[in-house]
Amino acid sequence: MTTKLRPAAAILASALFAVPLYYVLVNVFKPGDQIAQEPASVPLPPTLTNIHAVLTRPDGLFWVSLANSLLVTLLSIIVLTVLSAMLGHYLARSGKRWTKVLALILLAGLMIPPQVILIPVTEVLRLTGLMATIQGLVLFNVGYYVPFGVFVFTGFIRGVPVELEEAALLDGASRTQVFWRIVFPLLRPATASVLIFLGVWIWNDFIDPLIILGPSQGTTITTGIYRSIGQYQADLGSVFALMFLATLPVLIFYLALQKQFVKGLTGGATKG
Amino acid sequence: MGRKPILPRVWHFASFGAPGVVIYLCFVMAPILISFGYSLTNHNPFNPPAEFVGLENYRSLFQDEQFLTALRVTTILTVIVVVVPNVLGLGVALLLDRKGWLYNVLRSVFFTPVILSSVVVSIIWTKLLDDRGPVNDALRALGVEHPPGWLSDPDLALYSVASIVCWQMLGFCVVVYLAGLQGVPAELLEAAEIDGAGPVRRFRAVTWPLLAPSLTINTVVLLISAFKTYDYVKVVTNGGPGSGTTATIAFDVLATGLDANHVGYASAMAVVMLVIVAALTTIVLRFLRRREVDL
């Protein structure tokens, strides 16, 4: 392609693709009546009315959802990182044959649709008294996403020389110390991948919080948006503002860690 | 891994392996077994006790018009979602495979929908494609007197939902193909050029075979995520318009099991769904991997 045609074609394709993003972005900053009349126009002058309305809702929907989403996401990714790094270490370092079976059982977990297990999961949670609780949702997230974490970590741990661990053991460190002080710091790229991917997936998750937290017990950002579209039908400005505010943390996270995001993806892609 | 393990085995498993494994078994593996068990009964939590019905649920499933429709809907959706973002993603990746800030910015444009929640994406498109939404306003302005009901026309809604999924997944494919393109050695392309190969020939003989791993990862990821499509259907159309025009199997499992409480029947559906996903993934992986090895 000629040198002038390529950038033009690239910009045109991207602009076409970005129309829905543009549509949300401009309407966040427009008063409601203007959204209905001229949905595509640039917001001049921009207004913060919609964002203000969402932030000061009397029922505090946005703040409650934000707190729940933060709590669920942070707890889940911390526990997931710790447990999958350790389980990954076991799979990478134990020479036993049955670890291959275990690895296969975990691999299967990567393709299980949540819908297949959700009904019995609600019963397991009800039985343990954890249904409709944040802890219940976190435990489910941990179980459901642990295979992904394990596979990222196992590959990386295989790349860490065993001699390093053996030397530290000879020097009198305990096995837990060896792992947390010597091996784990070397796994930073894997940890970044796991935190980023699982963070985004769990933050954006819809079906699991919808069903596990239930209708009354608590709302995350995504289920909050879902439940409020009904009442907000007439007030598009608030819908857009809520979606914008809900996405902002992930967007900032992504823009700050863009390189890591893409590296995480491509690491998986080239290795298959 | 012939090496002698460096830790006492039992201790190593108990402290490092067990916590993750136990939670996984409780929340993923046990529920699958329970689902399988339920699928052989007429379990309904509001109408106990459950009776063992053998394979009766499976037999009725394959005579159930609604389930067969869901199967058809899921198949159409999966085919579209596996093919379209793959093809367009490759095209966009080839277009954006240049260095410079402009191309970096444009890559981010394509990747942004990937990090959005599917609920957010669904709501954006619901508003855009509304009968009186901006898309149809634009069509009317262009002189189309009766623009289509993208989400209200039973013949069209499924394709609209599929397009929404494609829009969100496109950026993922772009990024994976871009990574693959980086792995194509420039010397190989130059050598082919010196040998007189035109751009099309160079792509077919050098680039495309080397993109095999990218194709594998995109196809498998798209296949698995398309097959479990739920969020878009729930938010955009709630299975309609009409009866089951956009209801996927994933949607039907939860509607039958949680809304209608026919847990036994829904479990049979879930088991069938799991078997199909597992079989499809295995076949596709084997087929695409063989392609990689042959190179």
Side-chain angles (χ1 to χ4, degrees):
Chain A
M1 204 175 287
T2 54
T3 37
K4 274 186 187 155
L5 211 58
R6 180 185 286 266
I11 291 171
L12 187 71
S14 313
L16 207 64
F17 182 80
V19 166
L21 301 174
Y22 167 85
Y23 172 67
V24 177
L25 208 58
V26 293
N27 287 324
V28 169
F29 303 102
K30 263 185 237 167
D33 45 339
Q34 203 186 339
I35 298 176
Q37 283 155 16
E38 33 194 307
S41 69
V42 177
L44 278 177
T47 165
L48 292 177
T49 330
N50 298 325
I51 290 184
H52 185 256
V54 168
L55 294 181
T56 56
R57 263 175 73 117
D59 62 358
L61 175 98
F62 173 74
W63 296 108
V64 173
S65 316
L66 183 74
N68 282 336
S69 272
L70 277 174
L71 194 63
V72 168
T73 308
L74 287 178
L75 278 177
S76 300
I77 61 178
I78 291 169
V79 177
L80 271 163
T81 304
V82 171
L83 293 190
S84 20
M86 290 169 67
L87 182 49
H89 185 267
Y90 176 74
L91 289 181
R93 294 292 195 234
S94 160
K96 271 200 157 181
R97 189 166 300 156
W98 89 287
T99 52
K100 279 204 177 131
V101 179
L102 184 59
L104 270 178
I105 294 175
L106 284 164
L107 185 68
L110 288 174
M111 59 181 187
I112 291 165
Q115 294 86 4
V116 173
I117 50 176
L118 260 174
I119 297 172
V121 161
T122 59
E123 301 195 15
V124 170
L125 288 172
R126 214 165 270 134
L127 219 67
T128 46
L130 289 170
M131 186 60 183
T133 65
I134 299 277
Q135 299 93 301
L137 180 56
V138 169
L139 268 174
F140 172 75
N141 282 339
V142 171
Y144 189 70
Y145 291 112
V146 93
F148 176 82
V150 165
F151 282 98
V152 175
F153 277 116
T154 310
F156 265 85
I157 293 170
R158 292 224 167 96
V160 176
V162 175
E163 290 75 16
L164 214 63
E165 293 182 50
E166 288 166 341
L169 281 174
L170 280 178
D171 287 345
S174 79
R175 314 193 181 277
T176 320
Q177 281 172 332
V178 172
F179 181 71
W180 289 112
R181 299 235 179 115
I182 295 170
V183 180
F184 191 69
L186 293 171
L187 304 175
R188 206 168 289 160
T191 309
S193 275
V194 169
L195 287 176
I196 288 170
F197 274 94
L198 295 179
V200 172
W201 287 342
I202 292 170
W203 182 270
N204 283 337
D205 192 8
F206 170 62
I207 176 178
D208 304 316
L210 182 73
I211 284 160
I212 291 177
L213 289 183
S216 56
Q217 287 303 313
T219 299
T220 59
I221 280 285
T222 52
T223 53
I225 296 172
Y226 174 68
R227 291 197 179 110
S228 61
I229 39 173
Q231 359 163 342
Y232 269 158
Q233 214 51 274
D235 183 5
L236 270 180
S238 288
V239 175
F240 288 131
L242 186 58
M243 294 199 296
F244 176 72
L245 288 171
T247 305
L248 212 51
V250 189
L251 211 58
I252 293 169
F253 193 48
Y254 162 59
L255 291 175
L257 296 170
Q258 216 168 358
K259 281 239 166 67
Q260 294 280 12
F261 254 88
V262 175
K263 224 186 276 168
L265 256 182
T266 53
T270 42
K271 255 183 246 142
Chain B
M1 303 248 12
R3 169 177 290 279
K4 185 167 60 104
I6 58 160
L7 300 178
R9 280 166 174 171
V10 174
W11 186 88
H12 191 195
F13 178 71
S15 60
F16 276 63
V21 171
V22 167
I23 297 179
Y24 176 72
L25 292 180
C26 288
F27 288 97
V28 179
M29 277 307 168
I32 286 191
L33 295 179
I34 299 174
S35 266
F36 185 71
Y38 280 162
S39 76
L40 304 173
T41 69
N42 62 4
H43 181 61
N44 176 339
F46 292 94
N47 192 11
E51 287 162 32
F52 180 80
V53 297
L55 296 176
E56 187 50 43
N57 285 329
Y58 292 94
R59 193 173 319 150
S60 359
L61 213 49
F62 287 99
Q63 289 158 2
D64 180 345
E65 216 38 66
Q66 195 189 328
F67 177 73
L68 295 176
T69 307
L71 202 58
R72 197 175 56 87
V73 163
T74 310
T75 309
I76 296 174
L77 195 114
T78 304
V79 171
I80 297 175
V81 170
V82 169
V83 173
V84 175
N86 240 328
V87 173
L88 292 182
L90 178 62
V92 172
L94 288 169
L95 194 61
L96 296 185
D97 184 29
R98 282 288 183 279
K99 292 211 162 63
W101 66 269
L102 174 68
Y103 295 100
N104 283 339
V105 172
L106 299 185
R107 275 173 211 184
S108 299
V109 169
F110 281 96
F111 196 68
T112 302
V114 180
I115 61 162
L116 298 182
S117 166
S118 46
V119 173
V120 167
V121 169
S122 300
I123 296 173
I124 298 174
W125 280 97
T126 309
K127 300 301 172 197
L128 277 169
L129 295 178
D130 191 87
D131 287 344
R132 286 161 300 146
V135 169
N136 279 356
D137 280 349
L139 286 175
R140 278 190 205 96
L142 289 172
V144 181
E145 268 177 51
H146 299 288
W150 303 106
L151 302 173
S152 56
D153 180 345
D155 294 326
L156 212 57
L158 176 59
Y159 300 96
S160 301
V161 171
S163 310
I164 300 172
V165 185
C166 291
W167 181 77
Q168 180 160 32
M169 295 306 286
L170 178 62
F172 178 82
C173 294
V174 170
V175 171
V176 171
Y177 277 126
L178 274 169
L181 286 171
Q182 277 172 16
V184 179
E187 307 87 63
L188 267 185
L189 290 169
E190 282 161 22
E193 198 173 356
I194 291 166
D195 289 345
V200 175
R201 185 74 205 279
R202 284 204 296 276
F203 175 76
R204 278 184 45 195
V206 182
T207 311
W208 179 237
L210 289 174
L211 286 179
S214 308
L215 176 70
T216 308
I217 195 112
N218 279 340
T219 305
V220 171
V221 168
L222 290 171
L223 182 72
I224 295 177
S225 52
F227 207 83
K228 58 186 185 193
T229 304
Y230 176 87
D231 303 7
Y232 308 92
V233 176
K234 179 85 180 167
V235 178
V236 178
T237 59
N238 204 14
S243 68
T245 50
T246 57
T248 55
I249 303 179
F251 182 84
D252 259 6
V253 168
L254 293 187
T256 311
L258 288 174
D259 301 339
N261 291 309
H262 297 304
V263 172
Y265 196 59
S267 300
M269 244 183 243
V271 170
V272 172
M273 180 176 169
L274 184 63
V275 170
I276 298 177
V277 176
L280 275 180
T281 315
T282 316
I283 294 167
V284 168
L285 254 179
R286 195 158 282 177
F287 177 73
L288 291 174
R289 274 278 156 78
R290 193 181 309 146
R291 232 185 118 245
E292 287 175 27
V293 175
D294 280 344
L295 301 167

